[in-house]
Amino acid sequence: MHRLRRPLLLCCTGLWVSLWPLCRGQRFTCETASCARHDVWEPVPFANSTEVCQDAQLRALDEFVSIFPQQCREWAAAGMGPWGDCRKKYCEVLGHLAGNLSHQGSNLYYGGDECRPLVNFNQTLCETSYRDAEGFCECLCPTMGHLQIPRVGACEEKIMKFLFLGRRGYELSQKYALSGYCSDFICEYFGKVGEPNPPYPVAGIPPICKTYDLPWRLYSCIELLSRKNYTPEPWLTPYPADSILECTDATTHEVDIRHIDTWGVCGNHKFRWRCPQGFPIMCRDPYGCSGDHCCEETVDMCPLGERVASTFLAIELPEWRGLWPPDWIAALGPTTTLGAYDRFKQNLRTTTGGPSFAQQIADYAWAGTAVLVAIGMTCSCLACYYMGVINTTYVRKVVLGPARLLNAYQADPVTFFASGKLPRDKKREAPLPPMRPAHEIEEERKDKEAVAALGDAWDLATLKGMRHLIDAHGDPDPPPGKTWKRGARLQAKLLRDAIRIARARGLQAQGSEMVWGMSEDLRWLSTLEAEKELLKAVEEARPDLRWASQVRLTQPPVLGKPWHATTQSKAAEAQVRRTGWTHIEGLRAAVQAARGRDISESHMNEAEVLLQALVARTHELPADRCVLDPDGFGVKLLPRGQHRAVWPVTGDSYTFNEGAKFGGEMGVDVSAPKELLGDAATEDARPVCAEWAKKSTCKAGRDCPWRHCKPQAGQLEAEPEPALGHGWPNGRGLAFLARCNSL
């Protein structure tokens, strides 16, 4: 009897599998027939119905379409494959959209005919069975690198909106319709990933992309997407004539079944668009007839079946209404493989004979089917009852009967019934190690989470780069639900939080690898802060270029009254120059701080050029900042916070720091290190002498502080100054010293 249990079990299982599709009716098992929240929907009688529908669509597009392309490209660039949360996010957003369109969970919906297709949605089936979700995340997302779209025209956003919402209904297709300009880019992408047998295959295309019947022929695809009345299956309506074939370029041609060459006319007119009325079925195989789709009289004459709309472009899919996808039904149904000769005989027209035996008993076949089902169910019940009786008897004998005591008696007598003389295994009798306390396990889990968070934050930061981390000072924070496109504040915040948690848990003491990793994280943050402070100083000092070279910076408060020679005018102008010099000192301090960091060379060059221009164009440098170069090369500028003063008793100069009670050594002009001194003799940044530019000569000669050369476009011209003396290596030392007047 034990030998019969396995064959009976296999028999019952096969019978159940064969009857399962018949019992379920090729539908998913849901609480409703359509697997949506309700089967019957009614529009709400509210005035704001359209506004609610529009707001719900905008929210859904903002939550998915705005982040989908960037997430897919970033995951692919990092070598992590497709976006991991793509399908979950796709179904979650559409689920929220369907819930927002339902009035308080009832069968009333907002938006009228436009939003009616959006409420037919089941989030569970979306994550397991919806083919559009599978196509988005397993085909479109991994191949986003092949979708090359320029920024002009915002075509990428329009294409994503059409594929996400526009294809789900007729009204939605009109609202999110694609222009011919944008259709060209998506059709080129379909040609790369969807052609079944390309002459030059593209590497990295998932095989699943070939199963979605994408319109890979360029002109047919553009015509399909850019027509005003969007129809994803125009071939279902044949041309209203028996022998007229319509091509994609809207031309029509007469064909003759007796002359097979006439059927290839559309090869020169961008391939077939609609079949003649006499052969209304367009077959699915794109190479079946002279490199194009065949036109047949019936579906049975097509080896691969009738041509269907692509999953990416179909207005309605069976799974949206709770039905099985066609490939599921085909997988469960019987299949046969016919040779070329058998298919030829099948396509031949035959004379009509008398009814066969199967046709004669077709009206009574239901009775025979019912009898067979009843017999199968009866046999299944009897087999289950018999096997239950056998198993119950076995359990009583083995588990509950005397056999249990016999097994215990025979179990390892050396260990359990040792008399003291038999050898014993001490290792088997050794106590188990103590159980780890719960708090230790929890601490270990938190340490692992902190290490993982630190690694993720570092990976996200390195995607931004190691230098040139920001483009401009003051980038705004991203709004909720958005991702960062410029700046690196999000990466910096995540990295700081991860370092703070790791330090709080003492992970820096775990080994040299952790210490090195945290040092790299801190170096990245220091580079970011240095670039941020440098750009901030540049933005604050850049406006001073407008007035730095001007001699007069203020206007008289009363027209016609003396002003520029008054004490108030000098004080006002000194205040303006003092404010501008504060910006110059801040920029110099930022440049000196950034030189020790690994920041962007472009940012450093920009700051250094601006600093030279500001110093060179400043008409009068502050006297308490100017000192003689210890090496004898002109004039240098003290660092920020240091000043030069003259002792009135002896006339000796000394330096002091702001807020200090005591000054430096008497008679020593420079107390700061030479590398902190600023350069005042900026040759290339000085303006061109106006008199030299006009007459090619200057009365000041070598003592003129401005450059003697022909000015270029955009260079500043300045009037010459009287001779001030010689004696410096470059001949202009005292000229620069004369600019160091007190503010």
Side-chain angles (χ1 to χ4, degrees):
M1 299 305 296
H2 292 281
R3 297 179 180 179
L4 295 176
R5 282 185 296 172
R6 183 174 179 84
L8 288 174
L9 181 61
L10 294 176
C11 179
C12 295
T13 303
L15 181 62
W16 174 249
V17 170
S18 62
L19 295 178
W20 179 249
L22 182 62
C23 298
R24 296 185 62 182
Q26 297 179 350
R27 284 183 174 273
F28 292 102
T29 303
C30 304
E31 295 180 358
T32 59
S34 62
C35 289
R37 187 171 296 182
H38 302 282
D39 286 332
V40 180
W41 295 89
E42 298 292 339
V44 297
F46 303 143
N48 64 338
S49 175
T50 303
E51 288 76 4
V52 173
C53 174
Q54 299 298 331
D55 293 342
Q57 293 181 47
L58 292 176
R59 191 179 301 110
L61 294 173
D62 186 63
E63 292 178 357
F64 184 79
V65 173
S66 61
I67 67 173
F68 173 76
Q70 182 177 1
Q71 289 289 343
C72 293
R73 289 190 176 103
E74 287 183 356
W75 278 64
M80 296 185 292
W83 179 21
D85 295 334
C86 175
R87 188 158 187 170
K88 179 180 178 181
K89 185 68 174 178
Y90 178 90
C91 299
E92 180 180 345
V93 171
L94 289 179
H96 290 170
L97 175 60
N100 294 333
L101 294 177
S102 176
H103 177 64
Q104 297 181 355
S106 64
N107 65 334
L108 299 178
Y109 69 93
Y110 294 93
D113 294 339
E114 179 177 329
C115 287
R116 172 62 181 85
L118 300 177
V119 296
N120 282 342
F121 185 78
N122 187 296
Q123 186 170 348
T124 303
L125 292 181
C126 176
E127 295 179 358
T128 57
S129 306
Y130 278 13
R131 289 175 293 165
D132 56 330
E134 179 186 55
F136 251 87
C137 299
E138 297 187 17
C139 177
L140 180 59
C141 184
T143 58
M144 279 297 295
H146 299 287
L147 184 58
Q148 303 294 334
I149 302 177
R151 296 183 181 273
V152 180
C155 282
E156 182 173 276
E157 181 180 1
K158 295 178 182 179
I159 290 172
M160 292 303 153
K161 289 181 179 180
F162 174 78
L163 295 179
F164 186 64
L165 290 181
R167 59 181 179 80
R168 296 183 68 89
Y170 177 76
E171 289 77 9
L172 293 172
S173 67
Q174 300 300 314
K175 179 178 180 180
Y176 299 103
L178 294 177
S179 63
Y181 174 74
C182 294
S183 300
D184 192 8
F185 300 111
I186 187 62
C187 290
E188 288 183 358
Y189 166 77
F190 285 159
K192 294 178 182 178
V193 303
E195 186 174 359
N197 297 312
Y200 303 100
V202 180
I205 303 300
I208 196 173
C209 295
K210 310 293 184 181
T211 64
Y212 292 131
D213 297 301
L214 295 173
W216 52 272
R217 289 190 170 103
L218 180 62
Y219 296 105
S220 299
C221 175
I222 296 175
E223 186 69 18
L224 184 69
L225 296 178
S226 60
R227 286 202 174 187
K228 184 176 181 181
N229 295 327
Y230 175 69
T231 305
E233 297 174 306
W235 52 83
L236 295 182
T237 303
Y239 190 81
D242 288 340
S243 300
I244 302 299
L245 184 65
E246 183 180 3
C247 301
T248 302
D249 59 356
T251 59
T252 56
H253 306 273
E254 185 176 0
V255 295
D256 189 354
I257 192 174
R258 295 171 297 179
H259 298 83
I260 193 65
D261 294 339
T262 60
W263 288 83
V265 65
C266 285
N268 299 325
H269 296 274
K270 303 176 182 178
F271 300 98
R272 299 179 183 179
W273 184 256
R274 290 194 298 173
C275 293
Q277 187 174 4
F279 298 86
I281 305 301
M282 182 174 287
C283 296
R284 188 175 185 178
D285 187 3
Y287 305 107
C289 295
S290 301
D292 205 343
H293 297 275
C294 296
C295 294
E296 301 292 351
E297 294 179 333
T298 62
V299 178
D300 297 336
M301 301 175 71
C302 298
L304 301 181
E306 186 178 5
R307 185 182 180 184
V308 295
S310 174
T311 305
F312 279 91
L313 306 177
I315 290 183
E316 185 175 0
L317 295 177
E319 52 265 34
W320 295 349
R321 295 181 286 109
L323 300 176
W324 288 1
D327 52 348
W328 289 26
I329 300 175
L332 292 176
T335 58
T336 57
T337 303
L338 299 179
Y341 180 69
D342 293 333
R343 291 199 302 269
F344 172 76
K345 292 193 298 180
Q346 187 180 22
N347 294 335
L348 292 177
R349 293 189 177 93
T350 58
T351 57
T352 304
S356 63
F357 176 75
Q359 295 175 345
Q360 294 176 1
I361 65 172
D363 296 337
Y364 308 99
W366 64 271
T369 303
V371 171
L372 293 177
V373 170
I375 294 174
M377 296 299 295
T378 303
C379 293
S380 300
C381 294
L382 293 176
C384 293
Y385 173 76
Y386 180 73
M387 287 187 291
V389 171
I390 294 176
N391 288 333
T392 302
T393 305
Y394 178 78
V395 169
R396 288 177 179 177
K397 291 181 179 180
V398 176
V399 180
L400 303 178
R404 179 181 180 184
L405 299 176
L406 183 60
N407 291 335
Y409 177 75
Q410 295 176 350
D412 198 2
V414 175
T415 301
F416 295 95
F417 307 101
S419 61
K421 298 181 180 180
L422 297 177
R424 303 178 63 176
D425 190 355
K426 299 296 183 180
K427 294 182 179 180
R428 294 183 56 185
E429 299 178 5
L432 296 176
M435 182 179 295
R436 296 176 61 190
H439 67 87
E440 182 179 345
I441 298 176
E442 181 65 18
E443 290 297 324
E444 182 179 356
R445 183 187 65 81
K446 291 182 179 179
D447 289 345
K448 291 181 179 179
E449 290 181 354
V451 173
L454 188 61
D456 294 340
W458 172 250
D459 292 339
L460 187 60
T462 52
L463 289 177
K464 190 63 182 177
M466 298 302 294
R467 60 170 64 179
H468 202 92
L469 302 177
I470 55 178
D471 295 334
H473 171 64
D475 289 335
D477 292 332
K482 296 288 186 177
T483 57
W484 282 81
K485 297 182 180 179
R486 299 182 62 190
R489 294 185 184 176
L490 175 61
Q491 293 89 332
K493 182 180 182 302
L494 294 177
L495 196 57
R496 288 193 185 97
D497 294 343
I499 293 175
R500 177 179 53 81
I501 295 174
R503 284 179 172 174
R505 303 200 61 81
L507 298 181
Q508 64 273 17
Q510 289 188 359
S512 58
E513 184 177 356
M514 179 59 66
V515 173
W516 177 84
M518 295 182 67
S519 64
E520 289 295 314
D521 299 341
L522 294 175
R523 186 171 66 85
W524 189 91
L525 291 174
S526 65
T527 301
L528 175 63
E529 290 299 327
E531 291 189 357
K532 178 181 176 182
E533 293 299 328
L534 185 62
L535 290 182
K536 180 180 178 182
V538 169
E539 294 300 326
E540 290 178 353
R542 190 185 301 278
D544 296 342
L545 286 174
R546 298 194 301 268
W547 58 267
S549 60
Q550 297 179 9
V551 178
R552 297 177 179 178
L553 303 177
T554 60
Q555 298 295 331
V558 180
L559 297 178
K561 297 292 183 179
W563 170 252
H564 293 292
T566 62
T567 305
Q568 292 84 353
S569 172
K570 298 300 181 182
E573 290 190 357
Q575 181 62 31
V576 174
R577 293 188 184 279
R578 187 177 294 108
T579 303
W581 191 255
T582 302
H583 294 164
I584 293 176
E585 286 187 332
L587 180 58
R588 176 180 287 109
V591 169
Q592 291 177 351
R595 283 173 179 168
R597 310 287 177 82
D598 186 19
I599 70 169
S600 172
E601 295 180 358
S602 61
H603 291 342
M604 179 62 75
N605 293 336
E606 179 184 4
E608 291 178 346
V609 171
L610 178 60
L611 179 60
Q612 292 179 1
L614 288 172
V615 174
R617 297 186 183 190
T618 300
H619 189 267
E620 294 180 354
L621 301 177
D624 60 345
R625 299 291 199 276
C626 297
V627 295
L628 298 178
D629 189 356
D631 297 332
F633 291 97
V635 177
K636 295 294 183 178
L637 298 175
L638 290 173
R640 189 174 188 177
Q642 288 193 5
H643 302 270
R644 184 181 65 86
V646 178
W647 183 251
V649 179
T650 62
D652 294 331
S653 62
Y654 63 94
T655 58
F656 65 94
N657 296 327
E658 291 183 359
K661 295 182 179 180
F662 301 98
E665 185 178 354
M666 188 70 68
V668 179
D669 287 344
V670 181
S671 61
K674 292 190 294 183
E675 60 270 10
L676 298 182
L677 296 178
D679 192 4
T682 52
E683 179 68 20
D684 296 336
R686 289 187 300 117
V688 178
C689 178
E691 185 175 353
W692 178 273
K694 295 177 182 179
K695 303 179 181 180
S696 298
T697 181
C698 177
K699 58 184 179 180
R702 295 182 61 185
D703 296 327
C704 180
W706 313 125
R707 290 190 294 163
H708 288 173
C709 63
K710 293 295 182 180
Q712 302 296 327
Q715 289 186 345
L716 184 65
E717 296 182 5
E719 295 296 334
E721 296 184 359
L724 296 174
H726 304 277
W728 295 95
N730 57 5
R732 297 186 178 91
L734 291 181
F736 280 106
L737 187 59
R739 295 166 56 206
C740 297
N741 296 327
S742 175
L743 296 181

